[in-house]
Amino acid sequence: MEAPLPGLSLLLLLLAAGWGGRMDAAWAPSPGGCELVQSIMDCTGRWLSSIPGNLRGDTEELFLDDNTIQVLGNASLLLYPHLWHLSVTRNRLELIEPGAFLSSQGLEVLSLTDNLLFTNYSLTAAALSALPALRMLDLAGNQLREDMVSVLVSNLSSLESLSVARNIIMRLDSSTFTNLTELLELNLEKNYIFEIDNAFEGLQRLQRLNLAYNYLPCLVGFDLTELRVLNLSNNVIEWFLSMEIDDLFELEVLDLSHNRLLFFPVLPRQSKLHSLLLQDNRMSFYQRLPNGTSLANVTMQFLIIDGNSTNITTVRLWDELCHSNLSSLRLLDMSQNEVWGLPDDFLAQMPSLTHLKLNQNCLEAFHLPEEDPLARLTELDLSQNQLVELGVKVGAGDILPSLQLFNLSTNRLQALPPGIFTHTRKITTLDLSYNRVALCPRPGEAQSLSCVDIRGVETLSHLSLAGCGLQGMGGRPFQGTSLMHLDLSDNRQLLSGDLAWLQDLVLTLQVLSLRNTSLSSTTDLSALSSLVRLDLSGNCLATFPAWLGALRLRSLDLRDNCLPALPRDLPQQAPLGRSLRELYLSHNPYNCCTLGWWDALQQAQGLRVPDGQEVTCRHGPHVLSPSALPQPVLQSCQWHTANMELLYLVLALPTCLTLLVAFVVVFLMLKEKLLKMVKNRCGVSSPY
């Protein structure tokens, strides 16, 4: 290789001196195919087997993800003394030599996920110990056991965040995380942990702990007072018992979802808890059982074995929550449990509650507290229970004054307490689907009939009445509302009568679902001029409804009908063709020989058919894709079209000949009479 020209070398030196060798303002390519943005060097996915030695010397962040690096040698980072962030994830890294970081004393963030560090973990530990400023370390996915983790982090007293997720850790004890006195966040999710023995005693500053997706059977004696977020989801926990002390716990979020909890957790007496997630457990309350019996005075004993000592703790689990201060709780998720009923004054202890989820339980009745009826509650989900009664003391004051979303779907309700929505001044969404309820049709009947009265609820914008067994409604059930979304699906007799009950929605309704309502093509909904989304799926439409052309829809669902074809000029129809952006068409018996409309849709600009891959047509016994019809089918369709034209000609020709012959015969028979009549009229002599 020839030596560079002296003049060129001098020019490069001058440029380097003048510009400082920096390209902070823009991206620039770098040797090895890496990309440079300011002081960040990205070498992701370059098939590198080692760290390039020709990168910028002032690089501060270096990303080497998705390469094939196996070893970080002692000299790998010598040229990059300013490095503070290094990522070597998803490589084949087996070893970091002890002197690899001696020139990178300022390294603060190190990500080594998805490698093979278990092979030489002791040498790698020696290399890590040379990083006095390291704050964040990610060792996830390295097949590490607990003893390996203990060695790797034993000298990293500066660490604030540590992740050892997705390893093969099975047991934690007091020796696992020694000297991590500055640790704030610890991620242990997706391991095989089944036992914890004083593992977190020395982590006095720990604020976030993630133990999700492990095999913990219980957690007894919880005493981490500085912890703010604790994630114990997706374990096999049956018991959660906090230490019985009066110290203030900083705990704000506790996630015990997807476990096997049998009882409501025994929480700290004093805490800042605002989110409690108990979804998908086996939890119930035993103050009252479904058969009417009570276990209020029965106690439960826990046998706690700690080393050589054995303690027996006696508690009343259905009463223990009374000893916890839940005044700051804002979110309580108890969905997917086995709750039959709530203890007395259970909700009264939560004056700050804004979100309450009790869906998918066994509730047969739900009674709102009389004295303080959840004044701040904005979301209440009681769906998928067995509710037959909703207890509200109407007239005692405001009822759920802040409520915005109320989900009562899939229960056994037949009515709601009269006037329940009188004081819900902010409600926007109400889901009554799959109950046997009816809307009050005329003023003054709410007190005497089993119906739901929503008239005059001005804030209500979303209403679902799917599967309520509604029949032809009368009166004006939506008077005084401003509904924008209305779901009337699965009410097969809903459209059997007059549709005047929709008149109050003409100006506001934008989304309407009439799926599976026995809708016919003659049902005219063109008066709903504000509609932008319309669901007509699951009906028996045999022809495209002509009234659709008068609407300015953006989305139309015609799935699961009996349509053999659509209008060929649909994209040009005004105003529908100009506004339509989304059209669902699958599961209709389209004719493969009349697909001109399909070709027109494919060419229409701005119109999308999201289920286009599922659209099929029929040709005899065959079900085919209209986008790829076989040549024999196309030829058959052409012959079919030609044969039909020939058939029409054959049928029309005899008729024309018959008419012609009849005309000739009539003319010949009446020829003499006609000539004589003409002669008599035209042959009369003039009077002159």
Side-chain angles (χ1 to χ4, degrees):
M1 185 175 181
E2 297 182 359
L5 297 175
L8 180 58
S9 300
L10 179 60
L11 178 60
L12 291 175
L13 287 173
L14 290 173
L15 286 174
W19 292 94
R22 298 187 62 86
M23 300 177 67
D24 293 350
W27 169 90
S30 180
C34 302
E35 297 177 358
L36 174 67
V37 179
Q38 295 184 351
S39 58
I40 303 173
M41 191 68 69
D42 189 355
C43 300
T44 300
R46 305 294 177 178
W47 292 96
L48 299 174
S49 58
S50 61
I51 298 179
N54 54 354
L55 304 179
R56 290 273 303 274
D58 59 349
T59 298
E60 296 180 359
E61 299 183 58
L62 178 56
F63 294 89
L64 296 162
D65 307 333
D66 299 304
N67 284 290
T68 59
I69 300 173
Q70 291 183 293
V71 177
L72 288 185
N74 290 327
S76 297
L77 299 171
L78 283 176
L79 300 177
Y80 313 113
H82 302 289
L83 205 62
W84 69 269
H85 185 179
L86 175 62
S87 180
V88 197
T89 67
R90 295 181 299 278
N91 278 265
R92 301 174 185 173
L93 194 60
E94 299 178 358
L95 170 64
I96 303 178
E97 294 183 352
F101 297 124
L102 292 178
S103 63
S104 305
Q105 297 294 293
L107 194 66
E108 298 180 14
V109 180
L110 178 59
S111 180
L112 301 171
T113 63
D114 297 309
N115 282 290
L116 303 170
L117 293 179
F118 71 97
T119 53
N120 295 285
Y121 69 93
S122 57
L123 291 175
T124 299
L128 295 177
S129 64
L131 294 172
L134 191 63
R135 295 186 299 107
M136 300 178 65
L137 176 61
D138 194 340
L139 296 172
N142 277 283
Q143 303 180 44
L144 299 172
R145 300 191 307 269
E146 55 268 24
D147 57 324
M148 299 177 182
V149 171
S150 178
V151 172
L152 284 166
V153 303
S154 59
N155 295 308
L156 302 180
S157 58
S158 61
L159 269 188
E160 296 178 2
S161 176
L162 172 63
S163 175
V164 284
R166 295 185 291 107
N167 282 289
I168 52 175
I169 302 171
M170 301 177 67
R171 186 180 182 277
L172 300 175
D173 57 31
S174 57
S175 65
T176 309
F177 302 113
T178 55
N179 300 325
L180 299 183
T181 56
E182 300 297 318
L183 198 64
L184 300 175
E185 182 175 2
L186 177 58
N187 187 355
L188 289 157
E189 71 174 358
K190 295 184 179 178
N191 277 280
Y192 300 88
I193 302 171
F194 65 89
E195 182 180 1
I196 300 175
D197 183 12
N198 298 322
F200 310 120
E201 279 189 347
L203 308 181
Q204 299 298 324
R205 299 190 60 194
L206 191 63
Q207 297 181 3
R208 303 176 67 90
L209 176 59
N210 187 352
L211 284 161
Y213 295 96
N214 280 284
Y215 294 89
L216 291 171
C218 63
L219 201 151
V220 178
F222 172 68
D223 61 351
L224 300 177
T225 57
E226 298 300 318
L227 200 64
R228 296 184 179 179
V229 179
L230 176 57
N231 186 354
L232 291 166
S233 64
N234 294 279
N235 279 271
V236 290
I237 297 174
E238 295 183 349
W239 318 94
F240 181 91
L241 302 174
S242 298
M243 188 71 73
E244 295 184 9
I245 56 177
D246 293 325
D247 295 3
L248 176 63
F249 283 69
E250 298 292 330
L251 190 63
E252 298 176 354
V253 178
L254 175 58
D255 189 349
L256 286 164
S257 59
H258 308 289
N259 277 285
R260 299 178 184 176
L261 281 175
L262 300 173
F263 300 93
F264 193 85
V266 179
L267 301 170
R269 294 177 179 175
Q270 300 293 332
S271 72
K272 300 179 180 179
L273 191 65
H274 63 68
S275 298
L276 179 56
L277 308 176
L278 302 172
Q279 176 190 6
D280 187 22
N281 280 281
R282 302 174 182 178
M283 190 173 60
S284 187
F285 295 98
Y286 299 90
Q287 189 180 47
R288 292 189 183 88
L289 296 182
N291 59 8
T293 59
S294 175
L295 299 177
N297 297 319
V298 179
T299 59
M300 179 68 67
Q301 290 185 331
F302 291 93
L303 178 63
I304 303 174
I305 301 176
D306 186 5
N308 296 325
S309 62
T310 301
N311 295 322
I312 297 179
T313 301
T314 303
V315 295
R316 294 168 58 189
L317 287 176
W318 39 86
D319 196 36
E320 281 297 312
L321 58 96
C322 298
H323 301 295
S324 303
N325 184 357
L326 300 176
S327 60
S328 60
L329 193 64
R330 299 196 296 269
L331 168 62
L332 175 59
D333 187 349
M334 292 171 55
S335 58
Q336 295 177 257
N337 278 279
E338 300 174 8
V339 177
W340 292 87
L342 300 179
D344 295 337
D345 300 325
F346 176 73
L347 297 176
Q349 301 177 66
M350 309 170 191
S352 302
L353 201 63
T354 59
H355 295 75
L356 176 58
K357 297 184 178 183
L358 291 167
N359 51 298
Q360 299 183 59
N361 277 283
C362 310
L363 293 170
E364 295 183 352
F366 181 81
H367 296 272
L368 291 172
E370 296 181 5
E371 297 180 357
D372 186 10
L374 302 174
R376 298 185 182 181
L377 196 66
T378 60
E379 178 182 352
L380 176 57
D381 190 348
L382 299 173
S383 62
Q384 300 184 59
N385 278 279
Q386 303 176 32
L387 286 175
V388 295
E389 178 187 358
L390 186 64
V392 177
K393 188 175 181 180
V394 179
D398 287 354
I399 302 172
L400 305 173
S402 301
L403 191 65
Q404 298 178 18
L405 189 152
F406 198 6
N407 190 349
L408 290 165
S409 65
T410 319
N411 280 285
R412 294 186 292 169
L413 293 168
Q414 295 186 1
L416 297 182
I420 186 174
F421 299 116
T422 304
H423 301 288
T424 51
R425 296 182 295 270
K426 298 181 180 180
I427 190 166
T428 61
T429 303
L430 175 61
D431 192 344
L432 293 169
S433 57
Y434 302 101
N435 287 280
R436 304 302 293 181
V437 297
L439 293 184
C440 296
R442 286 179 292 274
E445 293 189 352
Q447 300 293 332
S448 58
L449 297 180
S450 297
C451 58
V452 177
D453 192 358
I454 62 169
R455 290 164 295 180
V457 185
E458 298 178 355
T459 57
L460 189 62
S461 60
H462 293 65
L463 175 63
S464 179
L465 294 167
C468 290
L470 298 175
Q471 300 182 3
M473 292 190 290
R476 301 175 63 182
F478 304 113
Q479 185 179 11
T481 66
S482 300
L483 283 179
M484 299 173 61
H485 294 241
L486 178 60
D487 187 356
L488 297 171
S489 305
D490 298 323
N491 291 287
R492 298 190 62 83
Q493 300 182 22
L494 174 67
L495 306 176
S496 58
D498 186 14
L499 300 182
W501 47 272
L502 286 170
Q503 60 182 303
D504 293 307
L505 304 178
V506 170
L507 299 178
T508 61
L509 193 62
Q510 297 181 9
V511 179
L512 175 62
S513 179
L514 293 173
R515 183 184 66 255
N516 191 27
T517 55
S518 301
L519 179 80
S520 67
S521 299
T522 58
T523 304
D524 191 352
L525 299 174
S526 59
L528 299 175
S529 56
S530 298
L531 281 180
V532 294
R533 295 179 63 91
L534 179 60
D535 184 357
L536 301 180
S537 62
N539 288 289
C540 298
L541 295 175
T543 59
F544 185 82
W547 51 266
L548 283 173
L551 298 177
R552 292 179 171 82
L553 299 176
R554 296 186 62 85
S555 178
L556 175 61
D557 194 340
L558 294 172
R559 287 175 289 188
D560 296 294
N561 277 284
C562 303
L563 295 169
L566 295 184
R568 188 165 187 168
D569 62 343
L570 177 60
Q572 286 77 41
Q573 287 186 8
L576 178 63
R578 297 176 183 175
S579 62
L580 198 60
R581 294 293 175 266
E582 193 175 66
L583 182 60
Y584 293 89
L585 296 171
S586 60
H587 304 105
N588 278 284
Y590 300 117
N591 188 341
C592 289
C593 292
T594 57
L595 288 176
W597 60 270
W598 176 256
D599 297 331
L601 290 181
Q602 300 305 303
Q603 298 172 5
Q605 294 184 355
L607 180 58
R608 191 169 61 95
V609 183
D611 61 338
Q613 298 295 326
E614 303 175 33
V615 175
T616 58
C617 64
R618 295 182 180 180
H619 184 75
H622 304 290
V623 179
L624 306 169
S625 171
S627 302
L629 292 179
Q631 191 64 30
V633 173
L634 294 175
Q635 293 176 353
S636 174
C637 288
Q638 291 175 355
W639 276 108
H640 177 75
T641 304
N643 290 339
M644 290 301 295
E645 294 175 353
L646 183 59
L647 177 63
Y648 294 149
L649 180 60
V650 170
L651 291 175
L653 188 59
T655 303
C656 294
L657 290 175
T658 302
L659 291 175
L660 181 59
V661 171
F663 176 77
V664 171
V665 171
V666 171
F667 178 76
L668 292 176
M669 292 177 60
L670 300 176
K671 180 180 179 182
E672 294 182 2
K673 292 182 180 181
L674 288 173
L675 290 175
K676 197 176 288 186
M677 182 175 64
V678 171
K679 183 176 181 182
N680 290 337
R681 290 198 177 188
C682 301
V684 180
S685 58
S686 173
Y688 297 103

